[in-house]
Amino acid sequence: MPHAQHQVLLDAFAEARRTWDDLVSLQPDVLAGSRNLTEMDLDELERRVEAHRMAMDLLADAVATEPDEVKR
């Protein structure tokens, strides 16, 4: 499996992983347990969820466009 041939898929995976890490590092459940979430906290959560959703859509598209022999 040549690396360059799958660069789009690998980059999409890396971005999905990065946005997931960014999302969970906010820990809104932990924040809510220790204090009230502020409007800024909720806005940031919404921004991070949307970034991760977009990254996952790009990852799904990258998987769908991979050559068939790689999917097996």
Side-chain angles (χ1 to χ4, degrees):
M1 173 163 82
H3 178 63
Q5 179 184 2
H6 307 288
Q7 193 61 51
V8 171
L9 177 62
L10 295 171
D11 289 347
F13 178 82
E15 181 64 7
R17 170 104 189 234
R18 184 195 66 75
T19 59
W20 174 252
D21 290 346
D22 193 38
L23 176 60
V24 298
S25 71
L26 187 60
Q27 299 184 342
D29 53 337
V30 173
L31 290 176
S34 63
R35 63 176 171 80
N36 289 333
L37 290 173
T38 67
E39 191 68 31
M40 285 179 42
D41 293 330
L42 295 173
D43 289 344
E44 183 62 15
L45 177 61
E46 182 178 1
R47 185 193 69 75
R48 291 183 191 197
V49 166
E50 184 58 28
H52 185 61
R53 179 178 292 142
M54 290 172 54
M56 291 302 296
D57 288 347
L58 291 174
L59 178 57
D61 290 348
V63 168
T65 60
E66 275 291 292
D68 284 337
E69 64 272 6
V70 174
K71 294 178 186 175
R72 294 179 215 181

